[in-house]
Amino acid sequence: MSQNAHVFLTTMCLSVAIYIIQTYAIDKGTYLKHREAILNKERMEITGGEIALSADESKVNQILMTFKIKEIEYGKQNNLFPPAMHFFKAKPLIEKSDVFRIIKAMPKGAALHLHDVSLCDIDWLIKNASYLPHVYVCQEEGASMRLHYFDKPATDCYWTPLKDWRSKYGKDVVDQWLLGNMTLLVDDPVKAYPNIDAVWKKFLDTLGVADGLIFYAPIYKAYYYQALQEFYDDNVQYIEVRTLLSNVYELNGTIHDKEWVLKAYIDTLHQFMKDHPDFSGSKTIYSNTRFIEPSAVQDDINLSIKFRNKYPDHFAGYDLVGQEDPGFPLTYYLDQLLSPSQMSPPVDLPYFFHAGETDWYGTAVDINIIDALLLNTSRIGHGYAINKHPEALRMARESNTPIEVNPISNQVLGLVTDLRNHPASSLMGEGFPMVISSDDPGVWGARALSYDFYEAFMGLGGEFADLKTLKKLAIDSLHYSAMNLAEKQDAMRLWQKKWDMFIQSMLQEYGNLIK
Amino acid sequence: MSQNAHVFLTTMCLSVAIYIIQTYAIDKGTYLKHREAILNKERMEITGGEIALSADESKVNQILMTFKIKEIEYGKQNNLFPPAMHFFKAKPLIEKSDVFRIIKAMPKGAALHLHDVSLCDIDWLIKNASYLPHVYVCQEEGASMRLHYFDKPATDCYWTPLKDWRSKYGKDVVDQWLLGNMTLLVDDPVKAYPNIDAVWKKFLDTLGVADGLIFYAPIYKAYYYQALQEFYDDNVQYIEVRTLLSNVYELNGTIHDKEWVLKAYIDTLHQFMKDHPDFSGSKTIYSNTRFIEPSAVQDDINLSIKFRNKYPDHFAGYDLVGQEDPGFPLTYYLDQLLSPSQMSPPVDLPYFFHAGETDWYGTAVDINIIDALLLNTSRIGHGYAINKHPEALRMARESNTPIEVNPISNQVLGLVTDLRNHPASSLMGEGFPMVISSDDPGVWGARALSYDFYEAFMGLGGEFADLKTLKKLAIDSLHYSAMNLAEKQDAMRLWQKKWDMFIQSMLQEYGNLIK
């Protein structure tokens, strides 16, 4: 009783004190001045709010915001606001948007949260990889479709040449099947995927189907080249890719090891950069699923340290991936994850942990965020649940550790319906460190980065976010990357050049709209 | 360029500094100690985290948390977690819950955010009010159903005695129609109410239908008595009700004025308290819709000042209500709302503004929160959008102004699908001032306060929230009420007595479960 009474009386006295302070009469002029100061402060606090735009940038901002407000008003009037809708329904609206057009043209810097087998437009995979010779398909009852290249088909399944299916059922029908099996696209996603487990099951199935094509060595390189091309075409100059460095195979059955796969990335990147000198590069984050045994994580860590020494310009670090809710928490692997720092001398292996990709609160899954931070993660993959953890917020602010926000992924994979409720919205409001990425754009029919940037700009940033926010998100994506200082400086110089060109091209295209 | 370079280099240097600090080797023991300290700090920060439970309370907490974890685990395994589901689907699950049983039995203190015509279970209204003599119904094509008591029916509509309908179509059929017309209940709410405007339209329609019964003078008093009874039966000892003080009528067509209505509240409350000495009371917050002209608000304010002087024990203050998105912002009424403080001497008229009941960000609607705070609102009605406003959060923390959280209302009225994404979840995590209320329980088939308490405890508080959180929410509901100091002390004493009894009765009921 005494403690309750104490708490109660303390808070009561506090209220009385504040009440006395607040009851001064205030005239309208003072009120409005005070109000404006508060609103200005909030506009400064939002991501990018502190940036001062040049005269030309201000003109482009004026155009951008005219379009943005028009689209928001249209959304309000017609209950058709893309961030409030499921992406499958929103996509055609986004593609008609002037804001989206500007975002596509804008140099967006880097995409830092991506996975190796879901980078490209699935249409590309179907139109290219699935039409090569030697593609076989098998579809057993109750199981997912399987695709594979064979010189001579294996006997573990009833493998049929895919071209036979095409002859029998027609090209369009088969291509539509492939699309349906390699993406989550459906007419009614809410009905098709009633909960997070259902959508994750289908999600993993789609990746499994695509893997059969992607892991064929010639396609693996071509797929990655195409990924770089799609991001480049979308005005992204640098990407970081989480990869399992899975078994890549040749027609004759040869299986390549992880180092071969890593070198395939490096070789392909070098080729791409030769073809595209205005691209800053790409780095690899080795990942394994959070369902493996601790000893396997130790093997991964040892391998990562080796790769980091051998390919310091390309190999960025380590992560654990897969659906987080049913997976093991980071603490399950604590001995292994702490091991680099226990070596003599301590080894610095950067981590990029997925953490808190969940709606649950107070479980091992959202507490992964605290462990990720304690383990000095370079960034937090998703960090969706971070708002529920005041200490994690404090630690991330102090160590300037960004969350990697993937708005469309979080919606399609069942964490949030209306992106205006995405927790990163309030974090954007306070200028919390973050980068925007697209996770697995191929699986939900997005492409590269612009769709997610659009959702973030319109849905998370609301009417407070303008060109300053977009500019800051682009700059921060380079800043928070795994590039070293010299690489960052080069990338930043390149970005600035692209940005200046973007501003001029916007002025040229829309200059007549400026008042 | 120079500014960008500056921002970029500053943040880069900061990261390097932090990087150096962080790369110290850390052993597992130190890690786990540090981790535990952080988690303990978070568990202290959550609403009620600072409360020390007595030995008996700890035992009850152990029982409560055993049930809670069991229900969360069941929810995870079966994708059937009530706060993640629409309330219409969740309700039967909640009613089977042991946690809900305990919450019902718990003295919850006060419900502070309620509206006058949606307080009671609609079944009560149907079974009592609609079976009285003189009830007429009319249903014109394309319009909402209307109900009214007449000595002699009006001629503005084809009024039919309701009993004639019952004879013609059967009691059950007609009662089901009434239920359908006075609640939002449907089998598929997502389909029936595809957006916020659709659900608000139907919501206002349901209130309009019920009004025809409720505003009949004898029913008005009986309805309010029943409301007090339902809250009392649900172990709520005090309520505050927003009311439009609408036109209450007699059979002969007499219309009563606002003061009569206010006195009806007072008289009914006195009767109720005579019948229930262990009830702390009720206060009235006069409200008008946010669609009226400024001059009408000035009239309201003048009337409120009069009522506040004349009925100081009962009349709490003023608010503006209705769907906030299409309504006028508080600034539209700024002259009027500032007027009491401009009077000589300044008059203290407490405000209880609805503000930020929206998913939009950066609009006049969510900025209402800042105006509500600047206008010294006693509490913020909903404040749903407050997370997106760091300055509003700061102001509310400093002035200890709580938000009134109505979880089920926010879900049913289209702001959020999965309550684990409700913004008050992170606010509960940091112990932000809040009270839990139920807004319009009758309209969505809830009753009194326990359903919303359950959703808040399970959905917003996650696994971190335990009996301490519930206790703090109960205490705070009295603390943040419009009661004066003496009333609060009395109410708190009564609550403590009820709480002690609750703890003992739980020990008696579940004592055998304690390890």
Side-chain angles (χ1 to χ4, degrees), chain B residues 99 106 117 120 152 205 223 250 337 346 411 414-415 474 504 506:
Chain B
V99 171
M106 186 187 109
V117 294
C120 295
K152 213 182 85 190
D205 283 351
Y223 183 85
E250 299 283 356
L337 298 176
Q411 186 192 56
L415 290 184
Q504 291 312 312
M506 287 298 108

Side-chain angles (χ1 to χ4, degrees), chain B residues 432-459:
Chain B
F432 188 89
M434 70 172 67
V435 294
I436 307 298
S437 197
S438 52
D439 208 1
D440 309 278
V443 181
W444 33 84
R447 188 184 255 255
L449 185 57
S450 288
Y451 290 94
D452 280 278
F453 244 71
Y454 174 88
E455 299 275 28
F457 182 59
M458 299 292 284

Side-chain angles (χ1 to χ4, degrees), chain A residues 450-471:
Chain A
S450 288
Y451 290 94
D452 280 279
F453 244 71
Y454 174 89
E455 299 277 26
F457 182 59
M458 299 292 284
L460 311 190
E463 293 187 26
F464 273 21
D466 63 8
L467 188 66
K468 301 197 290 296
T469 301
L470 289 176
K471 187 176 179 180

Side-chain angles (χ1 to χ4, degrees), chain A residues 292-353:
Chain A
I292 60 177
E293 280 310 304
S295 63
V297 168
Q298 190 63 61
D299 294 344
D300 287 347
I301 291 205
N302 297 340
L303 186 66
S304 297
I305 292 171
K306 179 187 143 188
F307 285 161
R308 181 106 175 116
N309 285 328
K310 201 160 169 189
Y311 307 99
D313 296 340
H314 188 80
F315 188 85
Y318 185 62
D319 185 16
L320 286 158
V321 301
Q323 191 185 357
E324 207 175 334
D325 283 336
F328 288 119
L330 290 174
T331 46
Y332 184 67
Y333 305 112
L334 191 55
D335 286 323
Q336 293 71 43
L337 298 176
L338 282 175
S339 67
S341 72
Q342 304 300 303
M343 291 171 186
S344 176
V347 171
D348 168 40
L349 175 65
Y351 292 136
F352 299 85
F353 291 126

Side-chain angles (χ1 to χ4, degrees), chain A residues 25-54:
Chain A
I26 184 169
D27 67 277
K28 192 178 177 182
T30 312
Y31 180 98
L32 290 174
K33 227 168 114 179
H34 192 182
R35 180 181 196 270
E36 195 50 32
I38 292 165
L39 288 175
N40 281 340
K41 203 162 169 208
E42 287 210 340
R43 289 197 193 96
M44 288 287 282
E45 282 172 293
I46 196 171
T47 300
E50 76 287 2
I51 289 177
L53 295 178
S54 71

